[in-house]
Amino acid sequence: MRKFFKTTLFASLLAVAISFTSCQDEFEEISNGEENESITANSAAAKLITNTSSQDGSFDNIVDGVSCFAIEFPYTVNVNGLEVTLDSKEDLVTVEELLDKVDVDSDIVDIIFPITITLADYSEITISSKDELREIAKDCIEGGKDDDIECIDFVYPLTVFTFDVNNQQTGNATVENDRQLRRFFAGLEGNQLVSMDFPVTLKLYDNTEVVVNTNAELAVAIESAKEACDEDDDNDHNDDDFSKERLDAYLVACPWLIHDMQRNEEDQIGRYFEYAMNFAANGTVTAKDREGNSIEGEWTTRVSNNRVLLKLEFTALMDFTLDWFVYELEDGKIKLFAEGGNKIIMKKACNVIDKDPNTLRGVLKECSWIIKKVKRDNQELDRLLGYEFNFMADGVVTLSSGEVSSEGTWEITLNAQARLVMAITMGNEPGVSFEWPLSDLRDNRLKFEIPGTGYELILERNCDNDVDDEDVVWIRGLFKDSLWEVALFSENQDPSEAYANYEFSFSANGKVTVYSPNQVEVSAGRWFVYRNSDNKLEMIINFGANSNFYPLANDYIVLEVQENRLELKHENSNGGYDHLVLEKK
């Protein structure tokens, strides 16, 4: 089964009722090694099972502000005046990014009704107005004190049994997920006997597994894990669920780079962008500017009114000297806020500051790297999307589109901030010739940025051309011996008919050819389908800057694919989206 369709198929399976088989003419007698191996459906142990398999509605608190239900996708919200359609959990990141662009005390998220919500027991309710939603939300218990148990989960599939009063089996069902298990228990009578096919495996919040062999052991395992982790069920999306100790450890673990800065409602990012901040355990902090100059200061943390505060004190960096409320702490990022229009966003820089250049050299030489994005002087060079870098051991680098190839040199050095820099000299392609400071190092993705100048380069690892990825191979095969047309193209939700009467041929060698209605070739470009570092299917299309079809050039996420149709989506830097729908002729 192709991975791309797992989600769709999974949703379809959930709509099918669990097949429950009953023995009507005879009973199977269960031989238990101990008494009372079955439990009643209304027992305390059964309650623990249903609470563990309940729907967790906290993932969309950024929209609805409550954890006891979740809004069913798709739906539309208005974020500070901009309408955004949410199709999956991943799209909630877009809402947070839009909220981060303004002061947190002025954030507005309006839901466009009607919507459907799913409760803890997976029942669904249609909501027509904000007042209806608020009325249901009144019954929600926030702060991690609700019945939902999130620190431990069942490992599926598992089998459950029902018994009669003589402990003889009357039926069984195999369940594949929390929804099915919760709905199974919901269909039982309160005094009905039930048990599981042991052993049963459960996974704790830290990914360790627990194996239980009886209902009693199962109840103990769940009860012991109830308070073992932070369920993050606050009535907001800004994660306040951390301690002073956690913040202290987080600050000193790595250097940090400034990615956003406002002081007294004035944007200061041009001045402080990517200042390097090093927090030491002894309470000193060193800020290093882009020229490598160091400014010494002090830092302390404390808890005030249930908030964790970070106090920064500098004698020569007064814009940072303030008591900052830490309003979000997430993987790789810290967000600070103070009243009066003051904000700092810092990103972790463990792998880009004070690291051995050989680390990055080795990563670059391991595989080919595809250009996902390249920007110079705030101008995105979409004509280079999908081009492939190959970094050689002797300092030679090639850049190829499949038809055109350039050769140059490359080196990894450290700049004045002790940041890793990739220096590329490519005589035939000035678009990539520059000294690129590394800002993000991952296994499958590299990001380079030039502070404050609108220079950016993003590369994606491409070791084997995805030849073992069934989805990628299948999508590439759809274009074989066929012509396609643009059924829809819109830039920032502004539709265009400019490309409606042309035919597109996508060749196996990566060339895309455009024909006029009378079958005359009018333009040519490149195309490439792959699975990106976020595990999403992506299609890159590029045309030369002088081509009339240059606006179509983008790195598109594949939203939907059928034999005769592809729906693609690209997120723009302004928060808007471009949509492209291709249909086979």
Side-chain angles (χ1 to χ4, degrees), residues 83 85 382 485-500 541 549-557 559 565-582:
E83 281 200 1
T85 298
D382 289 343
E485 61 184 355
V486 174
L488 170 69
F489 178 67
S490 65
E491 294 182 276
N492 295 316
Q493 300 182 341
D494 182 18
S496 170
E497 299 292 333
Y499 313 104
I541 298 175
F549 296 84
Y550 185 69
L552 296 179
N554 267 323
D555 55 322
Y556 296 97
I557 296 298
L559 290 184
R565 185 178 186 274
L566 271 84
E567 183 177 349
L568 311 171
K569 178 181 178 181
H570 169 79
E571 181 179 359
N572 297 316
S573 57
N574 61 4
Y577 294 90
D578 293 350
H579 280 88
L580 175 63
V581 177
L582 299 172

Side-chain angles (χ1 to χ4, degrees), residues 495-506:
S496 170
E497 299 292 333
Y499 313 104
N501 296 318
Y502 294 90
E503 294 179 340
F504 294 76
S505 172
F506 298 87

Side-chain angles (χ1 to χ4, degrees), residues 402-428:
E403 292 183 327
V404 178
S405 182
S406 302
E407 185 175 295
T409 61
W410 70 286
E411 176 57 301
I412 303 300
T413 60
L414 294 175
N415 67 7
Q417 283 183 300
R419 290 187 57 185
L420 290 171
V421 174
M422 179 177 68
I424 294 179
T425 301
M426 191 78 67
N428 295 337

Side-chain angles (χ1 to χ4, degrees), residues 141-384:
I141 302 173
E142 300 298 334
K145 297 180 180 179
D146 54 350
D147 291 336
D148 176 29
I149 298 174
E150 301 168 35
C151 299
I152 191 168
D153 294 295
F154 287 102
V155 176
Y156 296 97
L158 54 84
T159 302
V160 288
F161 301 103
T162 56
F163 304 93
D164 65 7
V165 293
N166 297 316
N167 229 19
Q168 294 176 315
Q169 182 184 328
T170 58
N172 67 78
T174 299
V175 293
E176 303 285 345
N177 49 59
D178 283 342
R179 183 188 186 110
Q180 291 183 359
L181 183 59
R182 178 64 190 255
R183 299 308 295 166
F184 172 81
F185 271 84
L188 301 177
E189 298 292 336
N191 58 355
Q192 191 166 356
L193 296 175
V194 62
S195 187
M196 293 185 174
D197 185 15
F198 292 102
V200 169
T201 302
L202 300 101
K203 182 176 289 187
L204 291 166
Y205 64 96
D206 60 359
N207 288 323
T208 59
E209 291 188 346
V210 177
V211 178
V212 296
N213 294 287
T214 65
N215 283 310
E217 290 181 10
L218 176 62
V220 170
I222 296 176
E223 189 69 41
S224 300
K226 283 173 61 176
E227 308 295 333
C229 71
D230 175 13
E231 294 187 351
D232 191 19
D233 281 346
D234 287 310
N235 195 21
D236 57 29
H237 72 283
N238 291 323
D239 186 0
D240 301 332
D241 296 330
F242 56 87
S243 64
K244 174 185 180 299
E245 291 72 23
R246 181 184 168 198
L247 175 61
D248 291 348
Y250 206 47
L251 286 168
V252 302
C254 290
W256 296 85
L257 293 175
I258 303 298
H259 270 241
D260 199 359
M261 173 73 176
Q262 289 183 14
R263 194 67 161 91
N264 299 326
E265 299 185 346
E266 291 187 7
D267 191 349
Q268 299 289 340
I269 190 57
R271 183 177 180 183
Y272 297 117
F273 183 67
E274 296 215 334
Y275 266 48
M277 307 285 286
N278 280 277
F279 295 84
N282 63 3
T284 61
V285 56
T286 302
K288 188 175 289 189
D289 65 19
R290 293 189 289 270
E291 285 71 45
N293 301 310
S294 296
I295 303 99
E296 300 295 328
E298 296 180 350
W299 69 279
T300 56
T301 58
R302 71 180 191 275
V303 177
S304 177
N305 296 325
N306 296 319
R307 293 180 171 186
V308 181
L309 294 171
L310 169 64
K311 184 176 184 178
L312 297 177
E313 294 182 282
F314 289 91
T315 56
L317 203 60
M318 297 308 297
D319 283 342
F320 287 82
T321 300
L322 202 63
D323 285 357
W324 299 92
F325 163 45
V326 185
Y327 75 89
E328 186 165 353
L329 188 68
E330 60 182 40
D331 187 26
K333 185 184 295 184
I334 293 177
K335 298 180 182 180
L336 310 174
F337 178 78
E339 292 182 0
N342 300 291
K343 178 172 68 171
I344 297 177
I345 296 179
M346 300 188 298
K347 292 189 177 181
K348 189 184 294 186
C350 298
N351 296 319
V352 301
I353 291 180
D354 297 325
K355 288 296 264 187
D356 184 354
N358 287 322
T359 301
L360 181 56
R361 290 190 188 110
V363 168
L364 286 169
K365 289 185 292 186
E366 285 176 355
C367 294
S368 300
W369 293 85
I370 301 298
I371 294 180
K372 177 180 173 63
K373 182 178 183 179
V374 59
K375 182 192 291 187
R376 289 180 64 101
D377 291 327
N378 286 315
Q379 295 295 317
E380 294 197 24
L381 306 182
D382 289 343
R383 62 181 176 80
L384 294 177

Side-chain angles (χ1 to χ4, degrees), residues 75-92:
Y75 61 95
T76 301
V77 295
N78 188 301
V79 185
N80 293 319
L82 179 66
E83 281 200 1
V84 180
T85 298
L86 307 178
D87 297 308
S88 65
K89 288 183 180 180
E90 288 74 18
D91 289 338
L92 293 169

Side-chain angles (χ1 to χ4, degrees), residues 122-138:
Y122 298 95
S123 59
E124 297 182 352
I125 302 176
T126 299
I127 305 297
S128 301
S129 68
K130 183 182 293 187
D131 289 340
E132 286 185 35
L133 192 66
R134 286 175 175 171
E135 190 64 28
I136 293 179
K138 288 180 181 179

Side-chain angles (χ1 to χ4, degrees), residues 501-504 513-524 549:
N501 296 318
Y502 294 90
E503 294 179 340
F504 294 76
T513 306
V514 185
Y515 298 96
S516 67
N518 55 2
Q519 297 300 305
V520 175
E521 181 177 335
V522 294
S523 189
F549 296 84

